[in-house]
Amino acid sequence: MELAFYLSGLVAVLATVGVITGTSPVHAVVYLIVSLIAVALVFFALGAPFAGALEIIVYAGAIMVLFVFVVMMLNLRPDAEYDQILSHPRYWAGPTLLVLVLLGALVALVSQGGLEKVIDGELLTARSVALTLFGPWLIVVELAAILLLAALVTASHVGRRSNPLRKLRSPPNAPSSPDRGGNS
Amino acid sequence: MSWWTPQLAAILWGMFQALVILLGAVLLGAALTVVERRLLGLWQDRYGPNRVGPFGTLQLVADMIKIFFKEDWVPPFADRPLFVLAPIIAFASLLLSFVIIPITPGWGVADMHIGLLFFLAMAGINVYAVLLGGWASGNKYALLGAMRASAQTLSYEVFMGLSLMGVVAMAGSFNLRDIVNAQEGFWYIIPQFFGFATFLIAGIAVTHRHPFDQPEAEQELADGYHVEYSGMKFGLFFIGEYVGMVLVSALIVTLFFGGWHGPWLPPILWFALKTGFFLMLFILLRASLPRPRYDRVMSFGWKVCLPLTLINLLATGAVMLLVAS
């Protein structure tokens, strides 16, 4: 279990480095998918297969598909010029400093928390996850559900075929301009 | 013989089972390519491939020889790593899902308690095969096919998961072995008929079978996302589709038709018979139905199937609470 944990952790880190250093956008997104699957394997190794499976279904299987979809449509090609601009220290010095501070905080926290804990692969079943979610954390689940419902209602309102907001913005009897599109 | 422990024997027996199931799934998928063409011929009043060997049974061998010896060509404008990766994902993700299917009380590869979620995860990964293959080909028909496929698969996977939740709620487990055991004498097709209907539709759509094969419509897209593939790379996409068909049939049998349960005959035979029935149904659907328009497919998924599965889940929960109280 410990070996699986460290191996998949290593894959996750390497794949994430690949996301950052890659020049082709689609390859970067594919590296991100690999990274997410590796994180799911970390969950499996820690004895939480339910969380691991949900990670693959939701993140790798649904959200990243939309990312790939959009990147595919944009027809982006590796851009050497942009890469050169970004390699200038002015652009990466600040973020690197901030990330180093975060890394220091993380290392301090981990070393403080004691290293005697080992990965024993204790199994957490879907039933226990459900009982925790719908027991002590019921309010949080309901709040998340209301948030998602609000997002759903908003999305279906914005994406409506005859959008009243569009009519308000443009003066009546104006010739339809191409940038307003048809019914999207 | 000190090294021959019961533990080692159990491991070897498990490996043997896994190997037999793997080879069985692949060979069944390969054989179905010919069986389907013969059956299409039968149902459409023509002969189909009947020249090679007695009744065309050796057509499979001829096809295999042809596909193995074809030039494995990668177009110069293609994105090579992703072009090679895509067929592997297409084949492997569906094949891996076979580990969760219990075939008989003694046979089956893995006994995971997240069973069904594993299948949904693999179905989610399977989208990338089409998506990456279509993009990496550098061909506009392939890209259009990949676009259609990803939109269709995303839409249909939403309610594929939901259609199975009624079964999960009734059995109280994601583990397929538990689900089969819970169906002894009472198949879930009766209380979960709407779940079955929507899962069947979603299963056809996710494997891109006719009548949901808009991603690879020959007439409009010249075969869609795998138009640039040749040789064994195309073979992996092609066999992968049939492996997916076998997988969905086996899952329908396991989830809604009691798996290996049945009178008189041995369990393995019941499982094979039921799975074979659904494979024939898949082929009959292809032989008889026309292909609907793409926007109709999408609106059918979102406006009919998704509400139906939600209502089904709600009703299942209500009835279960009523019975329990």
Side-chain angles (χ1 to χ4, degrees):
Chain A
M1 273 301 165
E2 235 178 309
L3 185 69
F5 172 80
Y6 285 117
L7 267 181
S8 39
L10 186 70
V11 170
V13 171
L14 288 182
T16 313
V17 169
V19 177
I20 300 165
T21 56
T23 47
S24 160
V26 173
H27 287 190
V29 175
V30 173
Y31 270 123
L32 190 52
I33 296 161
V34 172
S35 165
L36 286 169
I37 293 172
V39 172
L41 280 177
V42 168
F43 279 128
F44 271 96
L46 287 174
F50 187 70
L54 284 189
E55 166 111 10
I56 296 184
I57 294 171
V58 175
Y59 286 94
I63 293 175
M64 291 313 294
V65 172
L66 295 178
F67 273 63
V68 176
F69 198 77
V70 170
V71 172
M72 237 167 61
M73 290 298 106
L74 294 178
N75 197 20
L76 298 167
R77 292 284 160 195
D79 193 344
E81 200 183 337
Y82 184 65
D83 204 40
Q84 225 167 19
I85 294 170
L86 278 192
S87 62
H88 196 274
R90 198 173 53 173
Y91 291 96
W92 55 257
T96 311
L97 195 72
L98 293 177
V99 166
L100 279 179
V101 173
L102 282 184
L103 183 69
L106 188 69
V107 168
L109 272 177
V110 168
S111 59
Q112 205 181 34
L115 296 169
E116 68 274 9
K117 277 225 166 186
V118 287
I119 301 154
D120 48 6
E122 188 194 353
L123 213 57
L124 202 65
T125 58
R127 192 183 297 272
S128 58
V129 172
L131 285 178
T132 319
L133 276 182
F134 287 94
W137 301 103
L138 184 63
I139 298 285
V140 181
V141 172
E142 292 296 327
L143 282 177
I146 289 171
L147 188 69
L148 286 176
L149 183 66
L152 190 69
V153 171
T154 315
S156 70
H157 179 75
V158 170
R160 219 147 44 120
R161 247 162 225 250
S162 58
N163 193 336
L165 286 176
R166 280 206 191 108
K167 279 184 199 148
L168 280 179
R169 244 182 266 139
S170 62
N173 304 327
S176 60
S177 57
D179 63 331
R180 271 192 292 134
N183 47 18
S184 59
Chain B
M1 294 287 269
S2 58
W3 50 270
W4 183 256
T5 56
Q7 212 175 3
L8 183 72
I11 290 173
L12 284 180
W13 175 237
M15 282 169 72
F16 173 72
Q17 279 192 5
L19 209 63
V20 169
I21 290 170
L22 174 80
L23 286 178
V26 176
L27 287 180
L28 189 56
L32 268 176
T33 58
V34 177
V35 171
E36 165 159 49
R37 285 160 71 192
R38 285 291 288 177
L39 281 175
L40 284 181
L42 180 77
W43 281 321
Q44 295 174 346
D45 262 354
R46 52 195 174 81
Y47 284 117
N50 65 348
R51 297 288 101 181
V52 194
F55 305 105
T57 43
L58 291 180
Q59 179 70 36
L60 176 63
V61 181
D63 281 347
M64 293 284 260
I65 292 171
K66 179 184 153 202
I67 215 162
F68 275 125
F69 285 93
K70 260 197 171 180
E71 187 189 356
D72 195 4
W73 187 65
V74 178
F77 45 80
D79 185 310
R80 204 184 162 91
L82 292 184
F83 190 83
V84 175
L85 184 67
I88 301 174
I89 301 177
F91 192 64
S93 61
L94 288 176
L95 203 56
L96 271 177
S97 302
F98 275 96
V99 303
I100 59 163
I101 292 177
I103 291 174
T104 65
W107 277 70
V109 183
D111 205 11
M112 290 190 276
H113 74 258
I114 54 159
L116 214 46
L117 291 176
F118 185 80
F119 160 67
L120 292 175
M122 286 300 124
I125 301 255
N126 190 40
V127 187
Y128 291 113
V130 177
L131 207 53
L132 296 178
W135 180 80
S137 296
N139 176 312
K140 60 184 150 199
Y141 292 112
L143 188 64
L144 282 172
M147 247 178 72
R148 285 185 177 188
S150 56
Q152 174 182 313
T153 316
L154 266 185
S155 316
Y156 277 73
E157 263 174 8
V158 171
F159 68 81
M160 180 158 87
L162 280 173
S163 67
L164 298 179
M165 287 310 129
V167 171
V168 172
M170 288 188 71
S173 170
F174 283 111
N175 189 328
L176 288 178
R177 206 167 275 281
D178 292 350
I179 291 175
V180 173
N181 283 331
Q183 292 181 73
E184 196 160 8
F186 183 62
W187 293 352
Y188 281 158
I189 171 77
I190 303 158
Q192 287 294 323
F193 178 74
F194 291 110
F196 161 71
T198 42
F199 181 71
L200 180 68
I201 292 167
I204 299 170
V206 167
T207 50
H208 314 127
R209 286 283 307 178
H210 210 94
F212 293 104
D213 63 343
Q214 279 81 6
E216 43 195 299
E218 291 92 342
Q219 291 89 340
E220 307 151 47
L221 294 178
D223 254 9
Y225 59 90
H226 53 57
V227 62
E228 295 288 350
Y229 282 89
S230 63
M232 206 49 217
K233 288 201 191 72
F234 168 74
L236 283 180
F237 272 124
F238 190 56
I239 308 287
E241 183 185 315
Y242 287 92
V243 168
M245 223 166 100
V246 178
L247 176 71
V248 172
S249 306
L251 271 174
I252 289 173
V253 169
T254 318
L255 292 167
F256 297 102
F257 286 86
W260 63 74
H261 290 306
W264 308 306
L265 296 174
I268 177 80
L269 218 55
W270 268 117
F271 189 83
L273 275 177
K274 290 175 187 170
T275 310
F277 174 78
F278 280 100
L279 288 172
M280 294 304 117
L281 184 70
F282 265 72
I283 297 172
L284 184 58
L285 281 178
R286 174 169 174 189
S288 52
L289 288 181
R291 178 186 296 138
R293 227 169 56 199
Y294 184 62
D295 60 325
R296 297 272 172 86
V297 170
M298 295 299 279
S299 62
F300 175 72
W302 284 107
K303 291 178 184 166
V304 179
C305 290
L306 182 65
L308 196 62
T309 51
L310 285 172
I311 292 168
N312 179 47
L313 185 59
L314 204 66
T316 307
V319 169
M320 280 177 66
L321 282 181
L322 271 182
V323 170
S325 65

